[in-house]
Amino acid sequence: MEQRRRCGHLFTAAVAVLVAAMLPSCTAKLSPDYYRSTCPDVEAIVRGVVAKKVKETFVTVPATLRLFFHDCFVQGCDASVIIASRSNDAEKDAPDNLSLAGDGFDTVVRAKAEVEKRCPGVVSCADILAIAARDVVAMSSGPHWAVEMGRLDGLVSKAGDVAGRLPGPDMRAKDLAAMFAAHNLTTRDTVALSGAHTVGFAHCTRFAGRLYGPAAAGPAYDAAYARQLREACPRDVSPDIAVNMDPITSTVFDNVYYANLAAGLGLFSSDQALHVDGASRPVVKEFARNQTRFFEAFKKAMVKLGRVGVKTGRNGEVRKDCTVFNDS
Ligand code: HEM
Ligand SMILES: *[C@@H]1O[C@H](CO)[C@@H](O)[C@H](O)[C@H]1NC(C)=O
Ligand SMILES: *[C@@H]1O[C@H](CO)[C@@H](O)[C@H](O)[C@H]1NC(C)=O
Ligand SMILES: *[C@@H]1O[C@H](CO)[C@@H](O)[C@H](O)[C@H]1NC(C)=O
């Protein structure tokens, strides 16, 4: 709260122009204590809602985690992905939203409702999503970390902004690395964050090219795994059919994903590529050997992901309703 005020003052003060010229973007000062005086129980409130929702359906876990990633990579971590469209033109309507599961949106909306009862107009939807993404990981046996807070909710959400900003399942390691590096995420961060694919589902259409295409379509699958996938995903299967991304422990946030890569059980080319590429393979091996190392790297990378494109001052607001801008 304090930091946000300070940022606001900078812009409204008489010297705003001068200061703004010196500090092109009012640098966001995120902190785990951001709401200490204004909404001290925010994390407990969110955790309660998330726990209830996870009990209702496990999909809450992958859906919320992926929602956070998509939010941060498009326009920064500003809850722009949660804006409901009026005419199918918001971020969530982009073809590239890659079928974000509704349970992630629902988690944030429900948590926001509970938080508003206690601290109206104080906590941003972007922060609630960041907290919820941490909680779902912890609730599926993954690590727990201190979430930085103080993001504002964005004022823009356009479907047209999504294209090209999110990684595709057929991407090569070099291209993935470049896309993540643009957000200050290293190869180690990229490998760690990809470990999120230890939970959740993927639709057959997302890897059909690799499964049925020419050999050049991607690195080879383990033969038995490929047979299993072809059974679950016959050539003209309904686009609604999905498979577990981690075929071994799909509901546990663990390091089995990395062991899978070494065994040819990476579902997407982009997953398998991490084991093929010389720069990322040592990291894959390290995480496969030692889950603690994976957890440490994942925590660090999630905190960094949470800093991408954060809005402050005039570039944001605390939405009353996560699905609509305040002025609409
Ligand atoms: C490295 C590049 C990445 C690519 C190419 C990629 C691509 C995909 C694709 C194509 C799906 C399947 C969606 C569907 O068929 O419904 C998926 C699912 C998922 N992704 Fe990624 N992703 C990447 C990185 C990440 C990161 C960084 C995270 C989070 C930190 C993440 C979290 C998830 C989760 C949890 C799911 C499962 C969603 C569900 O079950 O609803 N992904 N990803
Ligand atoms: C994702 O985009 C498609 C259109 O490309 C839309 O039909 C679908 O409802 C969107 N998903 C969500 C969760 O908004
Ligand atoms: C990029 O990440 C490094 C550490 O991983 C950090 O020290 C630095 O401040 C970050 N830069 C930006 C612009 O976020
Ligand atoms: C895993 O890594 C942690 C942290 O670096 C280290 O303390 C631990 O000894 C390692 N465990 C194994 C089995 O190598």
Side-chain angles (χ1 to χ4, degrees):
M1 196 64 187
E2 208 42 49
Q3 290 296 348
R4 196 171 72 241
R5 284 231 188 82
R6 224 171 283 155
C7 285
H9 281 314
L10 282 182
F11 282 97
T12 51
V15 290
V17 176
L18 188 67
V19 173
M22 286 157 55
L23 299 166
S25 61
C26 178
T27 317
K29 280 277 161 23
L30 299 178
S31 151
D33 297 329
Y34 190 78
Y35 297 111
R36 185 160 52 185
S37 58
T38 55
C39 195
D41 294 333
V42 61
E43 289 183 84
I45 299 168
V46 173
R47 192 186 320 120
V49 173
V50 174
K52 186 157 175 272
K53 175 90 192 160
V54 171
K55 233 180 188 176
E56 284 171 24
T57 170
F58 181 80
V59 179
T60 304
V61 172
T64 306
L65 182 53
R66 184 163 180 245
L67 189 63
F68 179 64
F69 169 52
H70 282 212
D71 185 35
C72 293
F73 260 45
V74 182
Q75 294 274 352
C77 312
D78 66 351
S80 51
V81 72
I82 300 171
I83 291 292
S85 60
R86 293 193 202 136
S87 46
N88 272 354
D89 54 358
E91 266 178 40
K92 67 184 295 210
D93 298 303
D96 239 14
N97 67 23
L98 312 179
S99 61
L100 289 164
D103 288 305
F105 296 93
D106 187 46
T107 300
V108 176
V109 167
R110 286 196 201 180
K112 173 70 170 176
E114 286 308 307
V115 170
E116 286 300 288
K117 285 184 197 162
R118 298 271 289 280
C119 330
V122 168
V123 182
S124 69
C125 300
D127 282 345
I128 288 175
L129 177 53
I131 298 167
R134 184 270 315 273
D135 289 346
V136 293
V137 169
M139 284 172 202
S140 48
S141 312
H144 184 277
W145 61 94
V147 172
E148 292 181 338
M149 290 169 256
R151 300 167 191 81
L152 289 185
D153 297 322
L155 304 173
V156 179
S157 175
K158 291 203 194 98
D161 286 336
V162 179
R165 301 248 164 92
L166 291 168
D170 300 322
M171 273 172 78
R172 288 156 200 275
K174 297 263 176 305
D175 300 323
L176 283 177
M179 186 176 255
F180 280 67
H183 298 300
N184 198 30
L185 297 164
T186 63
T187 296
R188 191 175 178 83
D189 295 328
T190 306
V191 174
L193 290 171
S194 295
H197 289 172
T198 178
V199 288
F201 304 93
H203 293 84
C204 298
T205 49
R206 304 313 308 263
F207 54 89
R210 186 176 168 209
L211 197 54
Y212 292 111
Y221 282 114
D222 164 76
Y225 184 46
R227 269 197 305 279
Q228 205 182 309
L229 288 176
R230 288 196 188 99
E231 219 165 274
C233 302
R235 270 178 195 277
D236 39 10
V237 72
S238 147
D240 298 334
I241 302 298
V243 302
N244 292 326
M245 287 202 291
D246 172 352
I248 313 290
T249 56
S250 66
T251 59
V252 185
F253 194 98
D254 58 16
N255 68 337
V256 170
Y257 167 83
Y258 300 101
N260 288 346
L261 298 186
L265 307 183
L267 185 56
F268 301 140
S269 292
S270 61
D271 296 313
Q272 201 59 51
L274 300 174
H275 186 260
V276 172
D277 182 75
S280 50
R281 193 191 306 116
V283 186
V284 168
K285 286 185 166 169
E286 178 189 340
F287 293 166
R289 259 196 322 268
N290 189 324
Q291 181 163 277
T292 308
R293 297 276 183 91
F294 164 47
F295 281 4
E296 290 306 317
F298 187 79
K299 295 192 304 193
K300 198 172 151 204
M302 284 292 281
V303 170
K304 284 176 74 177
L305 177 60
R307 291 175 185 160
V308 172
V310 165
K311 308 294 186 301
T312 53
R314 284 186 179 175
N315 297 322
E317 64 184 5
V318 171
R319 266 178 231 151
K320 293 190 193 80
D321 173 343
C322 293
T323 66
V324 293
F325 301 120
N326 286 346
D327 74 354
S328 53

